Amino acid sequence: MAEATADLECRGINKDFGTFRAVNDVSFAVPPGTFFSILGPSGCGKTTLLRMAAGFLEPTSGDLLIKGRSMLNVPPNKRPVSMVFQHLALFPMMDVAANIGFGLRRRGEPREDIARKVDAVLARVGLPDVGSRRIEQLSGGQKQRIAIARCMVLEPDVLLLDEPLGALDLKLREHMKVELKQLQSEFNTTFVYITHDQSEALVMSDQIAVMNHGVFEQVGGARELYYDPKTAFVAGFVGDSNRFSGTIESIRGGKLKARTPSGFAMTGTSAADGLSKGDSVDIFVRPEAVRLALSKPPVSKLANATAGTVDSILFNGANSRVLVRDEATKNEIDVAIPQTGEFAGLKRGDKVYIGWDADQTRCFAAGKS
Amino acid sequence: MTGDRSRLTMILLMAPLLIWLTALIFIPHAEMFLVSMREKVGVRQYEFGFANYATFFNEPLYWNTFVRTALMSVAATALTLVIGFPVAYYIAKMTRGRSKTILFLLCLIPFWVSELVRTYGWMILLRESGLFSGLLQYVGLASQPIEFLYNDAAIMVGLVYTSMLFMVVPLVTTLDSLDDSMIEAGYDLGGTGVSIWREIVIPHAMPGIVSGCIVVFMLSLGNYLTPILLGGKDSLWFTGLIYTQFITRFNWEQGAAFGFLLLALSSFIVWAGLKLSGQTLSRTMGR
């Protein structure tokens, strides 16, 4: 993966704060034109990593390259990267055009060139007439676009984005997700985006790195992370999951049987190598992988079949869920309701049959995360 | 009923302010103004007229002192700003938590003692038989005692020292409100230290700069103790002239006229400063 032409490349990056290691031996390469997300909970080190790329922090060890050139000891104002800050950091003392022109003025470009470039980038972000407005006169979405325009006018090799959607309300955030992705493909620039919001990462990214406790747990496409998580942390963090614990009773090839504390024998697939009989495992099953039925036959052929009563219905349009109190595992299982009309009349206290396949039952060694 | 009650509450809450304004500001000034407009024509005989103001303009010493006081105050304000800004920036942006509190307190400590004691402290350092003079002689840079007191530089030192806190506090407040990411964004977009100060830090701090300057300027212009003690007989500070008229010469009419001229001067310079910096009084003081 580490091609020589990668826009941003990290080689064994470490960052210590005193005795605390915030970033631990992280290596990755971002190919040109990629929308690369770093997804992780707060405190996982993703902001530290981004600030090292921007130049506000120096790595304790390791190398950081942009377009193949080492950036160690290169100050932020000399790096070919730009950053969109969490709260955007637009300059309230200047109007929009002066904000966007700030970087160009620092490069000493002629006044008429600056004006032309500012107009061009404003047109590209779809706000052609706001140049003379003050920052506080802009809406949240407009500020977002101006912040991106202010960086893109400098034609950076890599644009770094530090959770810029965090401050927006839900509706605007959904809208800006699509818009950011469109802007990225329009500018065809490498975006490195950090977020703790998995849906932002899943919707927008070409590549996602899931980060936890300073290390990259897994790097891959959105589908890969969702359908084929390599660690328990990724399985739990990306998407929703029902989580069980159990002890392996038998294991052959990738298939295993694990017994839950309540005595239910779960048939599953081992997602990682090195599991053996007697190991404790965490078992993850996605809500949409659970088959829901009002009678027994449809689920009885599945590797794991059980029955339960409806505890509550979480109606959310197409994403409606039902919480089933399962008899076998004594767990509350989150099940997606198929939108076929069959379960439209489902109500609290109903008896239902549920089952899921062994392939959809992913087991990881317990204790991590 | 409730209307009357809330009206009464409001009057009671406003009462201290109104009493203060009327009794201590409005009435004395009105009285002073009337006094300043009295011409003495004989023993205990007065006429209404501008003679006291005319005296001011006809006597070069008076208006020379007036202009000198204004220029020195402006210089003291500028000097306080130049020294206070880095101090405030350091306190607001470079320090965190405890050390911030301690540094802030260090700025405050000189104000725990009276101005007289503070000024006397400077006299101990600067006088002919004082610490600096002795030190210079000790290290061999001077062969005889040097008098540092009783010149304009000594006055300037005293004024800047006395006003520093009133410059640092508003500056720290405005600089505190400057988001660190603004400065980082400036660097990220290719800015250098100088351009970030010029285009981001100083414009942001402008209301604090102006309000600090107004306070320091007024304090310097109206200061009596520091110029007289550190500047000696030749200090030629306008408040000294007012004092002389009132206390030494019992010429209240002339003193009142001088007082009003000083008020006009400070109002004019503050107005000019606001116009030059493009700020308004409500933006700078109303924070």
Side-chain angles (χ1 to χ4, degrees):
Chain A
M1 218 174 102
E3 301 142 50
T5 54
D7 267 356
L8 174 66
E9 187 179 351
C10 287
R11 291 182 189 157
I13 290 266
N14 286 309
K15 179 68 188 175
D16 296 336
F17 294 110
T19 56
F20 173 69
R21 177 150 285 194
V23 173
N24 188 0
D25 193 24
V26 166
S27 299
F28 65 96
V30 183
T34 314
F35 197 121
F36 187 88
S37 289
I38 300 170
L39 172 66
S42 54
C44 72
K46 58 189 192 297
T47 303
T48 308
L49 193 58
L50 198 75
R51 291 177 66 81
M52 285 193 280
F56 297 121
L57 293 171
E58 281 295 321
T60 307
S61 62
D63 199 1
L64 195 144
L65 303 97
I66 292 166
K67 284 241 189 273
R69 201 158 67 86
S70 173
M71 284 293 129
L72 294 183
N73 301 315
V74 177
N77 51 3
K78 298 274 189 292
R79 291 190 186 200
V81 297
S82 286
M83 182 154 161
V84 177
F85 286 79
Q86 189 162 15
H87 300 291
L88 306 178
L90 295 170
F91 306 133
M93 57 293 275
M94 306 174 199
D95 66 10
V96 168
N99 257 283
I100 296 176
F102 182 87
L104 297 173
R105 288 201 297 281
R106 296 288 81 75
R107 289 182 182 174
E109 298 200 9
R111 193 181 293 258
E112 51 273 21
D113 281 9
I114 295 177
R116 191 170 41 74
K117 285 185 180 177
V118 168
D119 285 344
V121 79
L122 279 172
R124 283 183 93 173
V125 297
L127 295 168
D129 302 316
V130 302
S132 59
R133 288 214 208 143
R134 298 203 62 82
I135 296 302
E136 66 265 20
Q137 292 172 312
L138 301 175
S139 71
Q142 288 173 328
K143 282 184 191 162
Q144 202 85 52
R145 284 188 258 176
I146 296 304
I148 291 168
R150 186 174 73 173
C151 293
M152 294 316 296
V153 78
L154 299 173
E155 292 164 358
D157 290 335
V158 180
L159 183 68
L160 308 169
L161 300 103
D162 182 5
E163 303 199 46
L165 303 188
L168 301 180
D169 61 67
L170 185 70
K171 196 118 193 173
L172 190 55
R173 197 154 64 217
E174 293 299 319
H175 177 73
M176 284 308 296
K177 273 186 214 168
V178 180
E179 198 163 298
L180 260 180
K181 181 69 190 157
Q182 280 169 349
L183 281 173
Q184 190 260 336
S185 56
E186 172 158 354
F187 285 111
N188 198 28
T189 300
T190 305
F191 277 32
V192 175
Y193 185 95
I194 67 165
T195 180
H196 63 272
D197 182 316
Q198 44 152 314
S199 99
E200 283 176 17
L202 293 177
V203 169
M204 295 189 285
S205 315
D206 301 315
Q207 287 268 306
I208 303 169
V210 181
M211 194 172 185
N212 189 33
H213 295 311
V215 297
F216 273 11
E217 296 261 342
Q218 187 175 355
V219 183
R223 281 163 204 246
E224 195 182 332
L225 294 178
Y226 192 83
Y227 292 116
D228 190 21
K230 294 284 184 247
T231 69
F233 178 80
V234 176
F237 194 74
V238 179
D240 295 323
S241 280
N242 291 296
R243 187 172 182 163
F244 308 92
S245 52
T247 312
I248 298 178
E249 289 204 326
S250 66
I251 184 162
R252 178 173 299 146
K255 295 275 173 280
L256 59 80
K257 228 173 185 42
R259 193 161 296 275
T260 67
S262 59
F264 181 68
M266 189 102 68
T267 311
T269 315
S270 88
D273 298 330
L275 287 177
S276 56
K277 196 178 163 191
D279 285 354
S280 301
V281 284
D282 284 325
I283 305 161
F284 294 87
V285 181
R286 299 244 182 245
E288 66 273 19
V290 180
R291 178 82 184 270
L292 185 67
L294 297 172
S295 57
K296 198 164 184 179
V299 298
S300 54
K301 291 235 178 61
L302 293 168
N304 302 292
T306 169
T309 48
V310 174
D311 241 11
S312 56
I313 293 170
L314 312 172
F315 183 79
N316 182 19
N319 298 319
S320 297
R321 301 282 183 75
V322 57
L323 294 180
V324 177
R325 174 67 60 184
D326 168 41
E327 289 165 0
T329 60
K330 305 289 185 276
N331 275 25
E332 192 153 71
I333 299 178
D334 190 349
V335 183
I337 301 179
Q339 298 297 307
T340 51
E342 193 185 348
F343 301 98
L346 203 64
K347 60 183 186 299
R348 195 183 148 93
D350 282 357
K351 171 128 182 154
V352 289
Y353 296 88
I354 52 177
W356 57 92
D357 215 19
D359 287 341
Q360 312 273 26
T361 311
R362 311 187 62 84
C363 305
F364 300 91
K368 287 172 74 181
S369 90
Chain B
M1 179 70 186
T2 48
D4 286 352
R5 289 269 306 264
S6 69
R7 234 181 116 84
L8 183 66
T9 315
M10 168 130 141
I11 289 169
L12 284 176
L13 285 172
M14 293 289 285
L17 179 68
L18 288 176
I19 291 169
W20 182 59
L21 281 176
T22 349
L24 295 170
I25 309 285
F26 183 71
I27 295 176
H29 274 83
E31 175 68 19
M32 281 263 283
F33 183 69
L34 291 176
V35 170
S36 78
M37 299 299 280
R38 287 195 307 190
E39 280 177 37
K40 193 167 187 172
V41 290
V43 178
R44 299 201 180 201
Q45 277 189 309
Y46 297 101
E47 273 175 18
F48 185 82
F50 288 93
N52 297 314
Y53 292 93
T55 312
F56 169 80
F57 289 105
N58 291 330
E59 176 55 71
L61 175 71
Y62 290 160
W63 53 263
N64 274 344
T65 308
F66 189 72
V67 171
R68 181 186 134 83
T69 308
L71 292 180
M72 289 275 282
S73 297
V74 169
T77 308
L79 204 59
T80 315
L81 177 64
V82 169
I83 299 171
F85 203 95
V87 173
Y89 189 83
Y90 186 83
I91 294 177
K93 288 274 157 253
M94 320 288 236
T95 54
R96 294 269 172 279
R98 253 179 93 85
S99 48
K100 190 176 202 144
T101 320
I102 290 171
L103 284 174
F104 216 70
L105 215 62
L106 283 178
C107 286
L108 192 70
I109 279 176
F111 290 80
W112 286 2
V113 298
S114 90
E115 195 185 352
L116 199 61
V117 177
R118 256 181 289 146
T119 311
Y120 187 64
W122 276 110
M123 294 178 78
I124 291 175
L125 293 179
L126 298 179
R127 69 186 172 193
E128 205 172 356
S129 55
L131 215 64
F132 284 168
S133 176
L135 194 71
L136 285 180
Q137 288 176 77
Y138 179 76
V139 297
L141 286 170
S143 54
Q144 57 190 35
I146 303 173
E147 180 63 274
F148 288 100
L149 278 177
Y150 313 127
N151 54 43
D152 288 357
I155 298 180
M156 204 52 95
V157 165
L159 287 177
V160 169
Y161 178 74
T162 309
S163 328
M164 192 52 79
L165 179 77
F166 303 97
M167 185 62 88
V168 168
V169 169
L171 284 178
V172 168
T173 316
T174 44
L175 287 173
D176 247 344
S177 69
L178 176 67
D179 194 348
D180 286 349
S181 67
M182 295 279 179
I183 297 168
E184 284 182 349
Y187 278 114
D188 189 61
L189 294 167
T192 54
V194 177
S195 61
I196 288 168
W197 270 62
R198 206 186 59 225
E199 291 208 38
I200 299 168
V201 178
I202 292 178
H204 179 90
M206 209 55 195
I209 293 175
V210 172
S211 74
C213 284
I214 289 175
V215 174
V216 169
F217 174 73
M218 293 205 176
L219 283 176
S220 302
L221 197 68
N223 202 330
Y224 174 73
L225 216 52
T226 308
I228 300 298
L229 287 181
L230 295 179
K233 271 190 290 192
D234 297 335
S235 64
L236 289 180
W237 207 255
F238 201 66
T239 46
L241 288 189
I242 298 176
Y243 179 87
T244 312
Q245 294 298 337
F246 272 107
I247 307 297
T248 318
R249 302 182 57 184
F250 294 112
N251 190 350
W252 279 48
E253 292 73 28
Q254 193 61 58
F258 283 177
F260 263 87
L261 286 164
L262 194 63
L263 180 66
L265 176 70
S266 67
S267 308
F268 170 74
I269 292 186
V270 167
W271 174 83
L274 286 171
K275 277 280 160 286
L276 277 176
S277 61
Q279 300 286 318
T280 63
L281 203 59
S282 59
R283 245 190 31 224
T284 51
M285 303 307 251
R287 287 158 70 93

